[in-house]
Amino acid sequence: QQQVKQSPQSLIVQKGGISIINCAYENTAFDYFPWYQQFPGKGPALLIAIRPDVSEKKEGRFTISFNKSAKQFSLHIMDSQPGDSATYFCAANAGNNRKLIWGLGTSLAVNP
Amino acid sequence: NAGVTQTPKFRVLKTGQSMTLLCAQDMNHEYMYWYRQDPGMGLRLIHYSVGEGTTAKGEVPDGYNVSRLKKQNFLLGLESAAPSQTSVYFCASSPGFSYEQYFGPGTRLTVT
C-alpha cells in the first residue's frame, strides 16, 4: 500500500521554466517531509525538507509548499536548469525509528 | 570524512550463491538502513538498525539477513541469491538528532 503518492512519474521542462512535483500522503502522524535528489549512478541526497507546522520553505531556487488540510506537499524548482535533470523523491517520516516512507520518484529532464 | 561507503560497487552472482554487502559510515550515526531500488518501484526498505547490536525488518526483508556488530558497519547478506534480487542496493545512515539520511553510492547486483 503506497502511503505517499508522487506525481508525475516523469516531467520535461524547458530551461528557465518552473518544475512542479506533487506528493500526497495519508497518515496524519507523519511529521517530516523531505525531498531527495538523485543523479544517475549516485545515491539520493537530501535537497530540502519541511515540518507540518510550516506552509512553505524556500532554499534558493527550490521551494516546498505544504498543505496540511489537503495532506499534500509539492516541490517547485524555479528557473529550472539542465543540471537539475535528475530523479526526485518525496518522503515522509513514519515514527521514532526514523523510517522514511518514499514516493516512487519523478524523472525530471530540463531541456537546454 | 568518507561519509557512507559500500563494498563492492558491482557484483554478478549465479542463482543459489551467497554474498555479503558491506556498508561503512564514519559519521558516528546511530541509524543505518538498507534499501533496494528497482525501476518504477522507488526505494524499498529491506532492514534497518537503530543502534549497534540492533536490527529490524523493513518492507521487503525476505531473502536477506543483516548484522550490526559495530556501530560503523551494517552488513547485508544474501544466503541463496535469486534473480528477483537483481537490483541496486543502497545503504544509508542517519544521526540521532536529525531525520536526514545520508546515502552511499550503491551496489549494482545482478543474479543470473
Side-chain angles (χ1 to χ4, degrees):
Chain A
Q1 183 179 1
Q2 190 66 31
Q3 296 188 52
V4 177
K5 295 184 179 180
Q6 183 172 346
S7 62
Q9 185 175 355
S10 63
L11 181 62
I12 300 175
V13 174
Q14 293 300 118
K15 179 182 175 182
I18 302 173
S19 304
I20 302 175
I21 306 170
N22 301 298
C23 280
Y25 64 96
E26 300 167 2
N27 190 338
T28 56
F30 290 161
D31 60 358
Y32 170 78
F33 301 89
W35 285 91
Y36 279 75
Q37 180 187 55
Q38 184 181 29
F39 293 106
K42 305 291 186 183
L46 179 66
L47 184 63
I48 187 173
I50 198 167
R51 299 265 184 182
D53 54 347
V54 176
S55 62
E56 185 175 282
K57 183 175 182 180
K58 184 176 182 179
E59 290 184 1
R61 296 184 293 108
F62 301 91
T63 300
I64 298 180
S65 296
F66 185 81
N67 186 328
K68 190 173 182 178
S69 61
K71 294 187 285 186
Q72 295 176 347
F73 58 109
S74 59
L75 175 69
H76 296 238
I77 306 175
M78 311 300 288
D79 187 26
S80 298
Q81 299 296 313
D84 297 330
S85 298
T87 300
Y88 293 81
F89 292 95
C90 64
N93 182 64
N96 291 333
N97 53 23
R98 312 296 177 88
K99 286 196 305 181
L100 290 176
I101 306 299
W102 296 84
L104 295 184
T106 296
S107 177
L108 171 66
V110 181
N111 290 334
Chain B
N1 287 349
V4 179
T5 58
Q6 292 183 231
T7 309
K9 289 185 168 50
F10 303 93
R11 185 71 187 268
V12 178
L13 287 179
K14 295 187 185 302
T15 298
Q17 288 185 321
S18 63
M19 77 163 295
T20 300
L21 281 68
L22 171 64
C23 176
Q25 52 95 4
D26 61 1
M27 298 174 283
N28 200 36
H29 286 173
E30 292 295 329
Y31 300 83
M32 296 189 75
Y33 310 84
W34 274 109
Y35 293 94
R36 60 178 290 173
Q37 185 174 34
D38 303 289
M41 311 259 325
L43 289 158
R44 292 185 290 170
L45 183 65
I46 304 171
H47 286 280
Y48 65 100
S49 169
V50 300
E52 180 179 315
T54 75
T55 63
K57 294 180 179 180
E59 181 185 353
V60 288
D62 294 343
Y64 305 95
N65 57 76
V66 288
S67 65
R68 193 162 176 208
L69 299 179
K70 293 182 179 181
K71 187 176 184 179
Q72 63 268 33
N73 295 337
F74 196 28
L75 278 63
L76 178 70
L78 286 74
E79 291 185 348
S80 179
S84 61
Q85 294 178 304
T86 293
S87 187
V88 179
Y89 291 86
F90 287 102
C91 175
S93 69
S94 180
F97 56 85
S98 165
Y99 288 146
E100 180 175 357
Q101 293 188 13
Y102 296 75
F103 282 79
T107 294
R108 184 174 293 276
L109 175 66
T110 301
V111 183
T112 61

